[in-house]
Amino acid sequence: MNKKISLGVTIALILIAVTASIAITMSFAMNQYDALIEGLPEREEMYARLSALDDEVREKYYGSIDNQQLNAELASGYMQGLGDEYSYYMTASEYIAYDGRIRGKMSGIGISTVFDEETGVLSIVEVNADSPAQSAGLQKGDQITQIGGTAVTQANYETLLQDLEGDKLTTIDVTYRRSGTDQTVKVMRGYSVKSVYYEIISTIGYIRITSFYENTATQCQEALDALAKENIKSIVIDVRGTSEGLIPYAVQVIDLFVPMATGGNQAIAVAVDKEDEVVETFTSDAADYSGQICVLINEDTQGAAELFACDLRDFDKAELVGEKTKGNGKMQEILQLSDGGAIVLTTARIIPYKSESFDGVGVEPDVTVQLAQEQFELVPHDQDAQLQKAFEILNGV
């Protein structure tokens, strides 16, 4: 049996629906408005103070103003004003170099130079490891006399150095002087950054990870494959002094060693914002490394490298040897600006698989072994106390 609804009830229902819709819309609008005006008085004060400063300087400053440099310094000063050592500003040229490095790709031939105006000599002060320059035989202290067949002078050396930049698979002639003798070599422009090195020491594999870049996971897998061919069952992974790299790239490397995350927070790591809300979750697949692992850490191990060490222990895949890490448990994002520059900005805090956040406290080793700062890079393996302790653990001594 059908029941008829009176006209009055129908109108009342419509009014209720309209009222509810208006209330929801107003609530949303107010939330948006509150978000827009948050901190507005403080920002107005900041802009007013900066404007007053700019007026005084432009009216009374004796020298000339380079507006491009001034804007860059303002941006840099703003980021420094946050009081966060991990957030900073990069100019357009700095960002290009940084972006290339973090993606594991570099332009140029891999040298740093200095020009002596008194002697008119362009000298190499650094040759990057595994760079085309190193492959071509260039060394620190060599004097570059010609680039692309053109003699280097004070008037043109900056322009000629730009000719050393370029894409992979293009070459350029570089003439250098060493011990009074000139020699010309063809040098490739553009190369991949190496962040993983490995070797076999007795019956144990040694893997050194210097940074966590976009291509680090690929290089680490290549190292693991090479060690597996030699039937290596135990490895030491060295992240002492490793500080550069991004959390997502570290997660890719962690995923080479750990199984699918089923305990803890159900993920390799989660990122939480300042309200402790999860903003990103990093998951793992079913891959699982079956060998024994020791991870070497020290006080200069930080950020992505700390997550790597902490997670391998959380998954019961590794024992940590060395010293307590720095304690940088925050995640940064790279945000490009309209001027071509960019900022590296801390946007979240990282929570590992099972452990509490290591931000501000560091990651404690399972076995503490003291070693002078950076000594691990200077002494032979047989004099590296931390490495030798890892060998003892893996050998069951």
Side-chain angles (χ1 to χ4, degrees):
M1 178 177 176
N2 295 329
K3 293 184 178 181
K4 294 183 179 179
I5 300 175
S6 68
L7 179 61
V9 172
T10 301
I11 293 174
L13 291 173
I14 293 173
L15 288 174
I16 291 172
V18 170
T19 302
S21 177
I22 292 174
I24 293 171
T25 302
M26 288 296 294
S27 176
F28 177 78
M30 288 300 294
N31 288 336
Q32 292 294 99
Y33 179 72
D34 289 343
L36 287 173
I37 67 171
E38 182 182 0
L40 185 58
E42 290 82 0
R43 280 184 282 173
E44 287 181 341
E45 180 183 353
M46 179 179 67
Y47 298 148
R49 183 177 300 178
L50 181 58
S51 178
L53 174 64
D54 188 56
D55 289 342
E56 291 290 339
V57 171
R58 292 185 184 278
E59 179 183 354
K60 299 179 180 179
Y61 179 52
Y62 176 78
S64 58
I65 295 176
D66 183 332
N67 286 296
Q68 185 174 4
Q69 179 180 352
L70 183 62
N71 288 334
E73 293 296 334
L74 283 171
S76 179
Y78 181 97
M79 295 303 293
Q80 290 179 28
L82 297 177
D84 176 18
E85 63 177 303
Y86 307 113
S87 297
Y88 55 92
Y89 168 78
M90 294 179 286
T91 64
S93 59
E94 289 171 340
Y95 171 64
I96 290 172
Y98 174 87
D99 185 61
R101 187 170 69 255
I102 210 73
R103 294 182 185 279
K105 299 177 181 178
M106 295 289 284
S107 64
I109 66 172
I111 62 171
S112 298
T113 61
V114 62
F115 186 84
D116 189 329
E117 295 185 358
E118 293 184 2
T119 62
V121 172
L122 178 66
S123 299
I124 297 175
V125 294
E126 183 179 357
V127 178
N128 296 344
D130 302 302
S131 66
Q134 186 183 64
S135 299
L138 294 176
Q139 298 178 8
K140 179 179 179 180
D142 288 345
Q143 300 174 356
I144 298 179
T145 58
Q146 293 184 37
I147 297 176
T150 302
V152 175
T153 67
Q154 183 173 348
N156 68 10
Y157 80 92
E158 291 181 332
T159 300
L160 291 178
L161 284 176
Q162 293 176 8
D163 291 340
L164 296 181
E165 300 297 320
D167 298 327
K168 197 170 183 179
L169 301 181
T170 60
T171 61
I172 188 168
D173 290 339
V174 175
T175 302
Y176 63 94
R177 181 170 298 156
R178 184 188 302 163
S179 301
T181 302
D182 287 1
Q183 184 174 347
T184 300
V185 292
K186 287 188 178 295
V187 189
M188 187 78 72
R189 289 178 287 197
Y191 62 103
S192 295
V193 178
K194 195 169 179 61
S195 56
V196 178
Y197 303 83
Y198 70 92
E199 61 182 292
I200 298 174
I201 304 173
S202 185
T203 59
I204 294 176
Y206 172 78
I207 298 176
R208 172 88 176 105
I209 301 177
T210 59
S211 51
F212 288 90
Y213 295 155
E214 187 177 285
N215 61 353
T216 300
T218 299
Q219 293 181 15
C220 192
Q221 183 64 68
E222 291 171 351
L224 290 174
D225 291 343
L227 294 174
K229 288 181 180 179
E230 299 299 326
N231 201 32
I232 298 298
K233 302 294 187 181
S234 301
I235 58 173
V236 175
I237 304 176
D238 191 348
V239 291
R240 292 175 295 179
T242 301
S243 60
E244 191 169 54
L246 300 180
I247 293 296
Y249 299 147
V251 168
Q252 292 175 4
V253 181
I254 295 168
D255 199 19
L256 299 177
F257 298 94
V258 303
M260 186 175 293
T262 55
N265 56 30
Q266 307 293 307
I268 286 178
V270 295
V272 298
D273 61 17
K274 58 185 176 183
E275 306 298 333
D276 277 338
E277 296 291 333
V278 175
V279 294
E280 192 164 1
T281 300
F282 301 98
T283 58
S284 57
D285 60 25
D288 190 2
Y289 184 79
S290 60
Q292 289 182 289
I293 306 172
C294 274
V295 178
L296 301 181
I297 57 175
N298 67 3
E299 60 185 13
D300 292 322
T301 300
Q302 63 169 294
E306 286 179 281
L307 176 63
F308 175 81
C310 185
D311 258 1
L312 259 62
R313 179 167 63 185
D314 278 359
F315 277 91
D316 297 322
K317 302 302 297 184
E319 194 166 354
L320 309 187
V321 177
E323 301 162 272
K324 186 171 75 170
T325 61
K326 182 170 183 177
N328 171 17
K330 295 185 174 69
M331 184 174 77
Q332 286 74 39
E333 290 185 35
I334 296 90
L335 307 171
Q336 191 169 11
L337 306 176
S338 59
D339 66 351
I343 57 173
V344 176
L345 183 67
T346 296
T347 58
R349 183 167 53 95
I350 290 297
I351 309 297
Y353 176 51
K354 287 183 179 178
S355 296
E356 297 294 325
S357 169
F358 50 81
D359 187 49
V361 296
V363 177
E364 292 280 358
D366 298 300
V367 179
T368 299
V369 179
Q370 300 292 331
L371 194 67
Q373 187 177 14
E374 297 183 354
Q375 186 180 355
F376 70 94
E377 293 183 338
L378 301 176
V379 300
H381 289 330
D382 60 359
Q383 298 178 32
D384 184 335
Q386 293 171 342
L387 179 60
Q388 291 302 314
K389 174 54 71 173
F391 286 166
E392 291 177 9
I393 293 171
L394 293 176
N395 286 322
V397 177

